[in-house]
Amino acid sequence: ASGGVMARLGLPRGVGIDAAVAQLAQVAPDAITTPNNIYRSAQTMRTSALRQPMRRAVRSRGMLGVIDTGVDVSSLPSDTLLSQHAFAGPAPIAREHGSAVASIAVSRGVRVHVADVFGHSADGQLAASADRIAAAIDWMIAHRVAVLNISIEGPNNGALAEMVRRAAERGHIIVAAAGNGGPAARPSFPAAFEGVTAVTAIDES
């Protein structure tokens, strides 16, 4: 939807990530060559009030793209989940964080498109890779979702930065979590990219 091609390549045997990136940069100098960084959910939130299914009807006031975990369909009123797509497996997997974010949006009259970008990393923890997040943003562009919410934090990544730039260039508004590390923490991405609105809590409430 945004133009261009994204390819994920494996490492040749005996070649480290930095060396492989350098070799690719020489072979394809016009391409954005970067490691496929891992990102974590910005998951420090209280969701106890959102665990009960919400059944009341809501008046639609727009739509939101949720790039997060999968969403529990049974927790939302009918017709509020417009679509849900898995980027880390054959089908979306409903988890608490994505369900909570979608519930908050729907409770305010917003319908949602959901991109489930989370799988498990080598250490067994929930993780999303840069290519999955970039693909999810591209999917939202194709669905013409004007506002995107990304409750994910991690390192700077050139490919993800380019996808954010293309979305912003097309008028999409991207809101992302600045992280839960406090005022001395390093910048979290994608929140720290130019064109993204970074949000965070200011106290324990």
Side-chain angles (χ1 to χ4, degrees):
S2 62
V5 175
M6 183 168 59
R8 184 176 65 184
L9 305 177
L11 287 173
R13 181 175 296 179
V15 178
I17 292 177
D18 292 341
V21 168
Q23 289 176 19
L24 283 172
Q26 289 183 338
V27 173
D30 295 329
I32 297 171
T33 308
T34 179
N36 191 22
N37 297 109
I38 295 297
Y39 294 76
R40 305 291 184 180
S41 173
Q43 196 163 353
T44 303
M45 63 182 294
R46 288 187 281 183
T47 57
S48 57
L50 299 168
R51 287 173 184 155
Q52 295 300 319
M54 185 176 57
R55 301 297 184 188
R56 67 179 179 83
V58 292
R59 182 179 177 183
S60 176
R61 294 184 296 185
M63 64 179 173
L64 176 72
V66 177
I67 299 177
D68 207 297
T69 71
V71 169
D72 180 6
V73 178
S74 67
S75 68
L76 302 176
S78 61
D79 301 326
T80 57
L81 179 60
L82 298 174
S83 65
Q84 184 169 203
H85 185 74
F87 288 87
I93 298 176
R95 294 187 171 96
E96 185 177 42
H97 194 269
S99 298
V101 171
S103 293
I104 291 169
V106 168
S107 71
R108 286 154 176 77
V110 178
R111 296 186 295 172
V112 294
H113 289 279
V114 175
D116 180 3
V117 294
F118 279 89
H120 287 93
S121 60
D123 61 5
Q125 299 296 312
L126 277 182
S129 58
D131 67 321
R132 293 175 192 158
I133 301 168
I137 294 173
D138 191 59
W139 182 71
M140 295 292 182
I141 293 172
H143 280 72
R144 298 182 180 180
V145 183
V147 182
L148 312 183
N149 181 84
I150 309 177
S151 299
I152 296 169
E153 55 182 299
N156 195 352
N157 179 277
L160 186 55
E162 175 63 16
M163 187 58 70
V164 165
R165 185 194 67 78
R166 293 185 184 196
E169 189 178 65
R170 288 162 172 77
H172 296 265
I173 297 170
I174 301 176
V175 180
N180 300 307
R186 293 181 178 181
S188 293
F189 296 88
F193 288 135
E194 184 177 350
V196 177
T197 300
V199 296
T200 190
I202 58 172
D203 61 31
E204 64 183 5
S205 299

